[in-house]
Coordinates of all heavy atoms in Angstrom, one line a residue:
M1 N -7.7 17.8 32.0 CA -7.2 19.1 31.6 C -6.9 19.0 30.0 O -6.3 18.1 29.5 CB -5.9 19.5 32.3 CG -5.5 20.9 32.0 SD -4.5 21.5 33.3 CE -2.9 21.4 32.7
P2 N -7.5 20.0 29.3 CA -7.3 19.9 27.8 C -5.8 20.1 27.4 O -5.1 20.7 28.0 CB -8.1 21.2 27.3 CG -8.7 21.8 28.5 CD -8.2 21.1 29.7
Q3 N -5.5 19.3 26.3 CA -4.1 19.5 25.8 C -4.0 20.5 24.8 O -5.0 20.8 24.1 CB -3.7 18.1 25.2 CG -3.6 17.0 26.2 CD -3.2 15.7 25.5 OE1 -3.2 15.6 24.3 NE2 -2.8 14.7 26.3
T4 N -3.0 21.2 24.7 CA -2.7 22.2 23.7 C -1.8 21.7 22.7 O -0.9 20.8 23.0 CB -2.2 23.5 24.3 OG1 -0.9 23.2 24.9 CG2 -3.1 24.1 25.3
T5 N -1.9 22.1 21.5 CA -1.0 21.8 20.4 C -0.3 23.0 19.9 O -0.8 24.1 20.0 CB -1.7 21.0 19.3 OG1 -2.6 22.0 18.7 CG2 -2.5 19.8 19.7
D6 N 0.8 22.8 19.2 CA 1.5 23.9 18.6 C 1.3 24.0 17.2 O 2.0 24.6 16.4 CB 3.0 23.8 18.9 CG 3.3 24.0 20.4 OD1 2.6 24.7 21.1 OD2 4.3 23.4 20.9
T7 N 0.2 23.3 16.7 CA -0.1 23.3 15.3 C -0.6 24.7 14.9 O -1.6 25.2 15.5 CB -1.2 22.3 15.0 OG1 -0.8 21.1 15.5 CG2 -1.5 22.2 13.5
P8 N 0.0 25.4 13.9 CA -0.5 26.7 13.5 C -1.8 26.6 12.8 O -2.1 25.7 12.1 CB 0.6 27.2 12.6 CG 1.3 26.0 12.1 CD 1.2 24.9 13.1
L9 N -2.6 27.7 13.0 CA -3.9 27.7 12.3 C -3.7 28.2 10.9 O -2.7 29.0 10.7 CB -4.8 28.7 13.0 CG -5.2 28.2 14.4 CD1 -6.0 29.3 15.1 CD2 -6.1 26.9 14.3
P10 N -4.5 27.9 9.9 CA -4.4 28.4 8.6 C -4.5 29.9 8.6 O -5.3 30.4 9.4 CB -5.4 27.7 7.8 CG -6.3 27.0 8.7 CD -5.6 26.9 10.1
A11 N -3.9 30.5 7.7 CA -4.0 32.0 7.5 C -5.5 32.3 7.1 O -6.0 31.5 6.3 CB -2.9 32.5 6.5
V12 N -5.9 33.5 7.4 CA -7.3 33.9 7.0 C -7.2 35.3 6.4 O -6.5 36.2 7.1 CB -8.3 33.8 8.1 CG1 -8.0 34.7 9.2 CG2 -9.7 34.1 7.6
D13 N -7.8 35.5 5.3 CA -7.9 36.9 4.7 C -9.3 37.4 5.0 O -10.3 37.0 4.3 CB -7.6 36.7 3.2 CG -7.7 38.1 2.5 OD1 -8.1 39.1 3.2 OD2 -7.3 38.2 1.3
T14 N -9.4 38.3 6.0 CA -10.7 38.7 6.4 C -11.3 39.7 5.4 O -12.4 40.2 5.6 CB -10.7 39.5 7.8 OG1 -9.7 40.5 7.7 CG2 -10.3 38.4 8.8
S15 N -10.6 40.1 4.3 CA -11.2 40.9 3.3 C -12.1 40.0 2.3 O -12.9 40.6 1.5 CB -10.1 41.6 2.5 OG -9.4 40.8 1.7
L16 N -12.0 38.8 2.5 CA -12.8 37.9 1.6 C -14.1 37.6 2.2 O -14.2 37.2 3.4 CB -12.1 36.5 1.3 CG -10.7 36.6 0.6 CD1 -10.1 35.3 0.5 CD2 -10.9 37.2 -0.8
R17 N -15.2 37.8 1.5 CA -16.6 37.7 2.0 C -17.3 36.7 1.0 O -17.2 36.9 -0.2 CB -17.3 38.9 2.0 CG -16.5 40.0 2.8 CD -16.5 39.7 4.2 NE -15.6 40.6 5.0 CZ -15.9 41.7 5.6 NH1 -17.2 42.1 5.7 NH2 -15.0 42.4 6.3
F18 N -18.0 35.8 1.5 CA -18.7 34.8 0.7 C -20.2 34.6 1.0 O -20.5 34.8 2.2 CB -18.1 33.4 0.9 CG -16.6 33.4 0.7 CD1 -15.7 33.5 1.8 CD2 -16.1 33.1 -0.6 CE1 -14.3 33.5 1.5 CE2 -14.7 33.1 -0.8 CZ -13.8 33.3 0.2
V19 N -21.0 34.4 0.0 CA -22.4 34.2 0.1 C -22.8 33.0 -0.7 O -22.4 32.8 -1.8 CB -23.2 35.4 -0.3 CG1 -24.7 35.1 -0.6 CG2 -23.2 36.5 0.8
R20 N -23.6 32.1 -0.1 CA -24.3 30.9 -0.7 C -25.8 31.0 -0.5 O -26.2 31.0 0.7 CB -23.7 29.6 -0.3 CG -24.4 28.4 -0.9 CD -23.7 27.1 -0.4 NE -22.5 27.0 -1.1 CZ -21.3 26.8 -0.5 NH1 -21.3 26.8 0.9 NH2 -20.2 26.7 -1.2
V21 N -26.6 31.2 -1.5 CA -28.0 31.3 -1.4 C -28.5 29.9 -1.1 O -28.2 28.9 -1.8 CB -28.7 31.9 -2.6 CG1 -30.2 31.8 -2.5 CG2 -28.3 33.4 -2.8
I22 N -29.3 29.8 -0.1 CA -30.0 28.5 0.3 C -31.3 28.5 -0.4 O -31.7 27.4 -0.9 CB -30.1 28.4 1.8 CG1 -28.6 28.4 2.4 CG2 -30.8 27.1 2.2 CD1 -28.7 28.6 3.9
E23 N -32.1 29.5 -0.3 CA -33.5 29.5 -0.8 C -33.9 30.9 -1.0 O -33.6 31.9 -0.3 CB -34.4 28.8 0.3 CG -35.8 28.9 0.0 CD -36.6 28.3 1.2 OE1 -36.1 28.2 2.3 OE2 -37.8 28.0 0.9
R24 N -34.7 31.1 -2.1 CA -35.4 32.3 -2.4 C -36.9 32.0 -2.1 O -37.5 31.3 -2.9 CB -35.2 32.8 -3.8 CG -33.8 33.4 -4.0 CD -33.6 33.9 -5.4 NE -32.3 34.4 -5.5 CZ -31.9 35.7 -5.3 NH1 -32.8 36.6 -4.8 NH2 -30.6 36.1 -5.4
R25 N -37.4 32.6 -1.0 CA -38.8 32.2 -0.6 C -39.9 32.9 -1.3 O -39.6 34.1 -1.8 CB -38.9 32.4 0.9 CG -37.9 31.5 1.7 CD -37.9 31.8 3.1 NE -39.0 32.4 3.7 CZ -39.4 32.3 4.9 NH1 -38.8 31.4 5.8 NH2 -40.5 33.0 5.4
A26 N -41.1 32.4 -1.3 CA -42.2 33.0 -2.0 C -42.6 34.3 -1.3 O -43.2 35.2 -1.9 CB -43.4 32.1 -2.0
D27 N -42.2 34.5 0.0 CA -42.7 35.7 0.7 C -41.6 36.8 0.5 O -41.6 37.9 1.1 CB -42.8 35.4 2.2 CG -41.5 34.9 2.9 OD1 -40.5 34.8 2.3 OD2 -41.6 34.6 4.1
G28 N -40.6 36.6 -0.4 CA -39.6 37.6 -0.8 C -38.4 37.6 0.0 O -37.5 38.3 -0.3
L29 N -38.2 36.7 1.0 CA -37.0 36.6 1.8 C -36.0 35.7 1.1 O -36.3 34.7 0.5 CB -37.4 36.0 3.2 CG -38.2 36.9 4.1 CD1 -38.5 36.3 5.4 CD2 -37.4 38.2 4.4
V30 N -34.8 36.0 1.3 CA -33.7 35.2 0.8 C -32.9 34.6 2.0 O -32.4 35.4 2.8 CB -32.7 36.0 -0.1 CG1 -31.5 35.2 -0.5 CG2 -33.4 36.7 -1.2
A31 N -32.8 33.3 2.0 CA -32.1 32.6 3.1 C -30.7 32.3 2.5 O -30.6 31.8 1.4 CB -32.8 31.3 3.5
F32 N -29.6 32.6 3.3 CA -28.3 32.5 2.7 C -27.3 32.2 3.8 O -27.5 32.5 5.0 CB -27.9 33.7 1.9 CG -27.8 35.0 2.7 CD1 -26.6 35.5 3.1 CD2 -29.0 35.7 2.9 CE1 -26.5 36.7 3.8 CE2 -28.9 37.0 3.6 CZ -27.7 37.4 4.1
E33 N -26.1 31.7 3.4 CA -25.0 31.5 4.3 C -24.0 32.7 4.0 O -23.8 33.0 2.8 CB -24.3 30.2 4.1 CG -25.2 29.1 4.4 CD -24.5 27.7 4.1 OE1 -23.5 27.7 3.4 OE2 -24.9 26.7 4.7
F34 N -23.4 33.3 5.0 CA -22.4 34.3 4.9 C -21.2 33.9 5.7 O -21.3 33.4 6.8 CB -23.0 35.6 5.4 CG -22.0 36.8 5.4 CD1 -21.5 37.3 4.2 CD2 -21.6 37.4 6.6 CE1 -20.6 38.3 4.2 CE2 -20.7 38.4 6.6 CZ -20.2 38.9 5.4
S35 N -20.0 34.1 5.0 CA -18.8 33.8 5.7 C -17.8 34.8 5.4 O -17.8 35.5 4.4 CB -18.3 32.4 5.4 OG -18.1 32.3 4.0
I36 N -16.8 35.0 6.3 CA -15.7 35.9 6.2 C -14.4 35.1 6.3 O -14.2 34.3 7.3 CB -15.7 37.0 7.3 CG1 -17.0 37.8 7.2 CG2 -14.4 37.9 7.2 CD1 -17.2 38.8 8.3
G37 N -13.6 35.2 5.3 CA -12.3 34.5 5.3 C -12.3 33.1 4.9 O -11.6 32.7 4.0
W38 N -13.1 32.2 5.5 CA -13.2 30.8 5.2 C -14.6 30.5 4.7 O -15.5 30.6 5.6 CB -12.9 29.9 6.4 CG -11.4 29.9 6.8 CD1 -10.3 29.7 6.1 CD2 -11.0 30.3 8.2 NE1 -9.2 29.8 6.9 CE2 -9.6 30.2 8.2 CE3 -11.6 30.6 9.3 CZ2 -8.8 30.4 9.3 CZ3 -10.8 30.8 10.4 CH2 -9.5 30.7 10.4
P39 N -14.9 30.1 3.5 CA -16.2 29.8 3.1 C -16.9 28.5 3.8 O -18.1 28.4 3.9 CB -16.1 29.5 1.6 CG -14.7 29.2 1.3 CD -13.9 29.9 2.5
E40 N -16.0 27.8 4.5 CA -16.5 26.6 5.2 C -17.2 26.9 6.5 O -17.9 26.1 7.1 CB -15.4 25.6 5.4 CG -14.6 25.1 4.2 CD -13.5 26.1 3.9 OE1 -13.1 27.0 4.7 OE2 -12.9 26.0 2.8
L41 N -16.9 28.1 7.1 CA -17.3 28.6 8.3 C -18.4 29.7 8.1 O -17.9 30.8 7.8 CB -16.2 29.0 9.3 CG -16.6 29.4 10.7 CD1 -17.2 28.2 11.4 CD2 -15.3 29.9 11.4
A42 N -19.6 29.4 8.2 CA -20.6 30.3 7.8 C -21.8 30.5 8.8 O -22.0 29.6 9.7 CB -21.3 30.0 6.5
V43 N -22.5 31.5 8.8 CA -23.7 31.8 9.6 C -24.8 31.8 8.5 O -24.7 32.3 7.5 CB -23.7 33.0 10.4 CG1 -22.6 32.9 11.5 CG2 -23.5 34.3 9.5
E44 N -26.0 31.4 9.0 CA -27.3 31.5 8.1 C -28.0 32.7 8.5 O -28.2 33.0 9.7 CB -28.1 30.2 8.3 CG -27.5 29.0 7.8 CD -28.4 27.8 7.9 OE1 -29.7 28.0 7.9 OE2 -28.0 26.6 7.9
L45 N -28.3 33.5 7.4 CA -29.1 34.7 7.6 C -30.2 34.7 6.6 O -30.3 34.0 5.7 CB -28.2 35.9 7.2 CG -27.0 36.0 8.1 CD1 -26.0 37.2 7.5 CD2 -27.2 36.3 9.6
M46 N -31.2 35.7 6.9 CA -32.3 35.8 6.0 C -32.7 37.3 5.9 O -32.7 38.0 6.9 CB -33.5 35.0 6.6 CG -34.6 34.8 5.6 SD -36.0 33.8 6.4 CE -35.2 32.2 6.5
L47 N -32.8 37.8 4.7 CA -33.1 39.2 4.4 C -34.1 39.3 3.2 O -34.2 38.4 2.4 CB -31.9 40.0 4.0 CG -30.8 40.2 5.0 CD1 -29.5 40.8 4.3 CD2 -31.3 41.2 6.1
P48 N -34.9 40.4 3.3 CA -35.7 40.6 2.1 C -34.8 40.8 0.9 O -33.7 41.3 1.0 CB -36.4 41.9 2.4 CG -36.4 42.1 3.8 CD -35.1 41.4 4.3
A49 N -35.3 40.4 -0.3 CA -34.5 40.4 -1.5 C -33.7 41.7 -1.7 O -32.5 41.7 -2.1 CB -35.3 40.0 -2.8
P50 N -34.4 42.9 -1.7 CA -33.6 44.2 -1.9 C -32.5 44.4 -0.9 O -31.4 44.8 -1.2 CB -34.6 45.3 -1.8 CG -36.0 44.6 -2.1 CD -35.8 43.2 -1.5
A51 N -32.8 44.0 0.4 CA -31.7 44.2 1.4 C -30.6 43.1 1.2 O -29.5 43.5 1.4 CB -32.3 44.0 2.8
F52 N -30.9 42.0 0.7 CA -29.9 41.0 0.4 C -29.0 41.5 -0.7 O -27.7 41.4 -0.6 CB -30.6 39.7 0.0 CG -29.6 38.7 -0.6 CD1 -28.7 38.0 0.2 CD2 -29.6 38.4 -2.0 CE1 -27.8 37.1 -0.3 CE2 -28.7 37.5 -2.5 CZ -27.8 36.8 -1.7
E53 N -29.5 42.0 -1.7 CA -28.7 42.6 -2.9 C -27.8 43.7 -2.4 O -26.6 43.8 -2.7 CB -29.6 43.0 -4.0 CG -30.4 41.9 -4.7 CD -29.5 40.8 -5.2 OE1 -28.4 41.0 -5.6 OE2 -30.0 39.6 -5.2
A54 N -28.3 44.6 -1.5 CA -27.6 45.7 -1.0 C -26.5 45.1 -0.1 O -25.3 45.6 -0.1 CB -28.4 46.7 -0.1
F55 N -26.8 44.1 0.8 CA -25.8 43.4 1.7 C -24.6 42.9 0.9 O -23.5 43.0 1.2 CB -26.5 42.3 2.5 CG -25.6 41.6 3.4 CD1 -25.4 42.0 4.7 CD2 -25.0 40.4 2.9 CE1 -24.6 41.2 5.5 CE2 -24.2 39.6 3.8 CZ -24.0 40.0 5.1
C56 N -25.0 42.2 -0.2 CA -23.9 41.6 -1.1 C -23.0 42.7 -1.7 O -21.8 42.5 -1.8 CB -24.5 40.8 -2.2 SG -25.3 39.3 -1.6
A57 N -23.7 43.8 -2.2 CA -22.9 44.9 -2.8 C -22.0 45.6 -1.8 O -20.8 45.8 -2.0 CB -23.9 45.9 -3.4
N58 N -22.5 45.8 -0.6 CA -21.8 46.5 0.5 C -20.6 45.7 1.0 O -19.6 46.2 1.3 CB -22.7 46.9 1.7 CG -23.7 47.9 1.4 OD1 -23.5 48.7 0.4 ND2 -24.7 48.0 2.1
N59 N -20.8 44.3 1.0 CA -19.7 43.5 1.5 C -18.9 42.9 0.4 O -17.9 42.2 0.6 CB -20.3 42.3 2.3 CG -20.7 42.7 3.7 OD1 -19.9 42.9 4.5 ND2 -22.0 42.9 3.8
R60 N -19.1 43.3 -0.9 CA -18.3 42.9 -2.0 C -18.1 41.4 -2.0 O -17.0 40.9 -2.0 CB -17.1 43.6 -2.2 CG -17.3 45.1 -2.6 CD -16.0 45.8 -2.7 NE -16.2 46.9 -1.7 CZ -15.2 47.4 -1.0 NH1 -14.0 47.0 -1.0 NH2 -15.4 48.4 -0.1
V61 N -19.2 40.6 -1.9 CA -19.1 39.2 -1.6 C -18.8 38.4 -3.0 O -19.0 38.9 -4.0 CB -20.4 38.6 -1.1 CG1 -20.8 39.2 0.2 CG2 -21.6 38.7 -2.1
Q62 N -18.3 37.3 -2.7 CA -18.1 36.3 -3.8 C -19.2 35.3 -3.7 O -19.4 34.7 -2.6 CB -16.7 35.5 -3.7 CG -15.5 36.4 -3.8 CD -14.2 35.6 -3.7 OE1 -14.1 34.5 -4.1 NE2 -13.2 36.2 -3.0
R63 N -20.0 35.1 -4.8 CA -21.2 34.2 -4.7 C -20.7 32.8 -5.0 O -20.0 32.5 -6.0 CB -22.1 34.6 -5.8 CG -22.7 36.0 -5.7 CD -23.7 36.1 -4.6 NE -24.9 35.3 -4.8 CZ -26.1 35.7 -5.2 NH1 -26.2 37.0 -5.6 NH2 -27.0 34.9 -5.4
L64 N -21.0 31.9 -4.1 CA -20.6 30.5 -4.2 C -21.7 29.7 -4.8 O -21.5 28.5 -5.1 CB -20.3 30.0 -2.8 CG -19.1 30.7 -2.1 CD1 -18.9 30.2 -0.7 CD2 -17.9 30.5 -2.8
D65 N -22.9 30.2 -5.0 CA -24.1 29.5 -5.5 C -24.2 29.5 -7.0 O -25.1 29.0 -7.6 CB -25.3 29.9 -4.8 CG -25.6 31.4 -4.9 OD1 -24.7 32.1 -4.5 OD2 -26.6 31.8 -5.5
T66 N -23.4 30.3 -7.7 CA -23.5 30.5 -9.2 C -22.5 29.7 -9.9 O -21.5 29.3 -9.4 CB -23.4 32.0 -9.5 OG1 -22.2 32.5 -9.1 CG2 -24.6 32.8 -9.0

């Protein structure tokens, strides 16, 4: 049976959004990591460059790759 701990989880601010570009491909797609709250916990996504720029603007992201 799994043990539980009473260790509190760190606070998270879900208004913080982060993007780290992994690759800008020759076919126009941008591969990137996107995270909410914690930059260490991310999902990998891929969008065409114009859609990526709109995604970043809409989510008011902080760029981690610059």
Side-chain angles (χ1 to χ4, degrees):
M1 187 153 107
Q3 293 182 348
T4 60
T5 63
D6 292 331
T7 306
L9 295 173
V12 63
D13 182 348
T14 58
S15 69
L16 298 176
R17 310 292 169 96
F18 304 94
V19 160
R20 178 178 286 121
V21 173
I22 300 168
E23 177 185 13
R24 290 185 178 270
R25 298 172 21 148
D27 62 2
L29 292 174
V30 179
F32 63 100
E33 295 178 341
F34 175 66
S35 56
I36 298 173
W38 294 303
E40 306 85 14
L41 182 62
V43 295
E44 290 186 25
L45 301 171
M46 198 177 288
L47 289 171
F52 169 73
E53 296 303 330
F55 177 88
C56 289
N58 289 338
N59 283 285
R60 290 180 238 142
V61 301
Q62 296 178 36
R63 299 285 298 263
L64 301 175
D65 56 300
T66 56

